[in-house]
Every structure is written in C-alpha cells, then in structure tokens.
Amino acid sequence: MSFCFNFDISGQTNASQEVDGNKVQSGGKDDGAKYAEVDDNTPAGPVKEAKEHLPPSDPEFLLTDGVFETITIGTLPPLHFLNETVFERTASEREDREKILSRREEKNSDLISGVYEGGLKVWECTYDILEIMEKEGETFSGKTVLDLGCGAGLLGILALKRGARQILFQDYNSTVIEQLTVPNVILNCEEDDEVEGDGEKKGKGEGKKQEDGCVEKGKEDLKSGSPPPKKRATDLSKHPLMRKCLFYSGDWRTFLPLVLKKEPPPKFDIIFTSETIYNTCYYPALHETLHKLLAPSGLVYLATKSHYFGVGGGLHLFETFVEQRGVFSLDHLWDGAEGLQRHVVVLRFKKQNDN
C-alpha cells in the first residue's frame, strides 16, 4: 500500500530546520538529543484562539448533498463518515469562515502549517488505532475520552458507540469541527441499521481499503440531496449520544487553558491522537496538553509514521522528547514493517509521578 503526502510549510521549519539555534536534521540518530534542547517558549507559529462549538439545533443542512461511507473492522461497530472526495467537490457550498477549503484547493496541499492542519483527511494511522482497539477489546464503558486532533472524529465516534461517558473532540480548525466532525457524529447517532447497506465491506483488510475515499457507501440514501427520513425528522442535537459530546477548535496552547476552565477541570481516561507529531515545533504544547488532561491511570494512544518527510517530525524525535521530560513512559503496541513505517504507541504516567 502506498501513500502520498502533500505539505505546504512555507514560513515554518523544514526537514532540515533550526529551532532555537539547534539543527534538527532528518533521519540521524542524534536528532532527538538535539531537539531535547528546544526552549518551550520558542514560538510554534501564530496562536489560533480556541473555542467551543455547540451542535446546531437543526443539523439537516449539514447532511444535505452528503455522501457517506462506512468502515467495519472485525468486531467493531460500523463507523460512518462523509466521503472526502465528495466533500471536496462541494466545498464551495459550505460555510468556511477560515477559508481553509479554498486555500487547500489553491495550494493543492494536505497541510498548510498554521492555517490548515490536515483535519479534512482521514489519515492512515487512524485505521491502525481502530485495529488496536479491536484487538484489545476496549469497550470504553463509562470512560471519558479525548480525540485530540480529531479530524473526521472516527476514534471518538468509536468510543461514543461503545459506551463512553463523555467524548471531547478537538481539532485545530473550526471548519473541520463544524463541517466534518459534527456531521460525522450526527451520522452515527442513528441506529446502524438505518444507514447500513447490503453491500458494505467488512473485515480488517477491506475496511482499510476505504481510506482512499474510493468506496462511497450510502450513496443511494443521500444522492437526492436529502438525508434519510429519520434524520430529517429528528433533532439530533438532543440525541442521548450527542449530549455526551463536546466540540472544540483551536491551537493546543489556547485549547488547554480554555478547557481547564470547566468545573471540575476534565481528566480523560483515554486520549487518542493520530498523526499529530509531524511538526517538532508542536511537541511542547502537545506534551503539556497530554500531561494536564490525562487521568492519573489513563492511557494515551498515539499513532504516527516513523518520519514525516518535508516536515521533520516523527516517532524517534517524539520518543526522545518524551523520555527527557520524564513524565510519561512510552511503549510500542504495533510497528508496521512495510512501506512507510507506521506505529501505534501508548503513553502512561510514570509510577513515581503523582500528577
């Protein structure tokens, strides 16, 4: 399986970058040691203010002209999400105060650093975490879950459908939250048999084939431009599952203080974060967010590629950063051996740390 990445990182550091006077070269074993010297006060670009998003009282318009697809992996419940290709084709019809839809098309880029952080694409490593959850049999029952850098929100939606008590979805871009994450949660709030078709593919291998957006499930239901009847008639903002969900956008540096204003300040039993360590400048804010929001006995499931060419981040750099901070232990759950290597790791507080 081959993957293609298209990044626009003008104005930011590149694969060979200088951060606070320390060179971070791609690929060398000394990378982590050099990165560990970075000052936390080194700016990582413009700070995007965080905000909480309330689900619309009438979600019908979010599903209009939508085409969704479904992925089913092993024993996991089916997960429904808007098709990326069709989403892009209807971008001009969507509300986008950030202008990321037009800028993404203009730049022909999956990432515009500091402007658009890739949330409209379901990245490959998301499927790796889903497979780990299927293998471990995690039920999420009664747990609090944070989907950090959620994008389409598939990981948080899995937790929602498997009995989590509360799920917080966070993404850098408000357009991603409003136009993709919330609609995907709405799709999954209905009973699965209302959206499943006889032709859905099942199983691990087939499920992962859907990541290129070539399988457009549910097209029969939505091609007329109207959601299925039950979705039109129901105020899904009051759905019991929807009431378990919180939605935030913004930079982690502003998201963290905003969410900590809640009483009581939240702590999460499980934090998911997939493909979020591609830029070394973001490591201090990410580490601080995990540190402050993870419950004392909680787990962080992080999925990543070994290295992000053209951006500079990767697992080795992040592992070294975490090790030198001394807050978390990090263990590998899965390491892919083929192609552009991918990994799933788990972080937990070190025993001597009382948080």
Side-chain angles (χ1 to χ4, degrees):
M1 185 180 294
S2 62
F3 304 113
C4 178
F5 311 102
N6 195 8
F7 300 122
D8 184 324
I9 54 171
S10 57
Q12 290 281 334
T13 52
N14 205 319
S16 177
Q17 53 189 329
E18 186 167 332
V19 182
D20 198 31
N22 297 296
K23 286 282 187 180
V24 179
Q25 303 287 343
S26 60
K29 281 291 184 181
D30 292 333
D31 291 0
K34 292 177 180 178
Y35 179 74
E37 299 174 13
V38 171
D39 187 340
D40 282 2
N41 294 321
T42 301
V47 177
K48 186 177 185 64
E49 288 303 317
K51 60 184 284 189
E52 183 173 8
H53 298 259
L54 300 178
S57 58
D58 180 9
E60 177 181 340
F61 71 96
L62 292 175
L63 301 178
T64 299
D65 293 328
V67 173
F68 67 90
E69 53 187 294
T70 298
I71 180 170
T72 306
I73 295 178
T75 60
L76 298 184
L79 303 176
H80 315 295
F81 57 102
L82 293 177
N83 177 272
E84 179 185 345
T85 302
V86 177
F87 187 94
E88 290 177 346
R89 290 174 182 169
T90 59
S92 61
E93 305 167 14
R94 300 179 182 277
E95 184 176 350
D96 179 21
R97 290 182 292 272
E98 297 174 301
K99 306 298 182 186
I100 66 168
L101 298 174
S102 58
R103 294 191 65 177
R104 182 188 184 215
E105 182 179 3
E106 175 188 333
K107 295 278 189 178
N108 189 29
S109 176
D110 291 323
L111 186 150
I112 307 172
S113 190
V115 176
Y116 163 63
E117 297 290 348
L120 296 175
K121 182 180 178 69
V122 180
W123 295 90
E124 299 78 30
C125 290
T126 297
Y127 297 96
D128 298 333
I129 292 186
L130 289 174
E131 291 195 346
I132 289 291
M133 292 299 99
E134 195 271 339
K135 179 180 178 181
E136 294 195 346
E138 175 61 62
T139 65
F140 302 97
S141 181
K143 293 182 178 179
T144 54
V145 176
L146 169 60
D147 192 346
L148 192 66
C150 63
L154 295 183
L155 301 173
I157 290 170
L158 172 64
L160 178 67
K161 298 184 80 169
R162 279 207 153 179
R165 175 165 55 88
Q166 185 179 70
I167 306 92
L168 191 154
F169 297 86
Q170 181 276 337
D171 196 86
Y172 183 82
N173 292 106
S174 59
T175 299
V176 171
I177 291 292
E178 294 171 351
Q179 299 295 324
L180 186 62
T181 313
V182 171
N184 284 345
V185 173
I186 289 170
L187 277 173
N188 287 273
C189 279
E190 292 292 337
E191 292 298 321
D192 290 342
D193 59 4
E194 294 175 14
V195 289
E196 284 183 351
D198 293 336
E200 284 181 347
K201 295 187 176 182
K202 296 183 181 294
K204 291 185 181 181
E206 291 177 331
K208 294 194 78 170
K209 289 179 183 177
Q210 298 183 38
E211 65 197 21
D212 293 327
C214 298
V215 182
E216 299 176 6
K217 299 302 174 187
K219 188 177 290 186
E220 304 84 359
D221 294 330
L222 297 182
K223 64 184 179 182
S224 64
S226 300
K230 289 192 177 181
K231 289 185 175 61
R232 287 199 304 269
T234 305
D235 182 357
L236 288 175
S237 67
K238 295 183 175 62
H239 192 284
L241 292 181
M242 202 70 178
R243 288 200 295 264
K244 294 182 176 183
C245 300
L246 298 171
F247 302 93
Y248 283 80
S249 67
D251 192 303
W252 292 326
R253 291 169 289 177
T254 55
F255 160 70
L256 180 60
L258 178 60
V259 77
L260 287 177
K261 289 180 180 179
K262 283 190 168 290
E263 291 294 340
K267 293 285 186 179
F268 295 94
D269 301 304
I270 293 176
I271 298 179
F272 290 124
T273 190
S274 177
E275 310 246 23
T276 53
I277 61 170
Y278 53 85
N279 190 328
T280 57
C281 292
Y282 300 160
Y283 290 4
L286 174 60
H287 189 279
E288 181 72 1
T289 300
L290 299 178
H291 187 183
K292 296 299 183 183
L293 294 183
L294 186 66
S297 58
L299 299 174
V300 177
Y301 291 96
L302 183 149
T304 181
K305 296 180 178 70
S306 294
H307 187 79
Y308 290 88
F309 298 97
V311 189
L315 182 57
H316 174 66
L317 287 172
F318 188 72
E319 279 185 296
T320 305
F321 184 86
V322 169
E323 180 181 355
Q324 297 214 1
R325 291 304 168 98
V327 175
F328 297 108
S329 63
L330 186 153
D331 299 297
H332 286 234
L333 295 179
W334 175 80
D335 298 291
E338 298 180 359
L340 185 56
Q341 293 182 348
R342 307 196 305 273
H343 310 268
V344 178
V345 300
V346 62
L347 286 76
R348 52 174 62 86
F349 284 115
K350 290 187 173 181
K351 291 182 179 179
Q352 68 269 26
N353 186 284
D354 60 3
N355 198 30

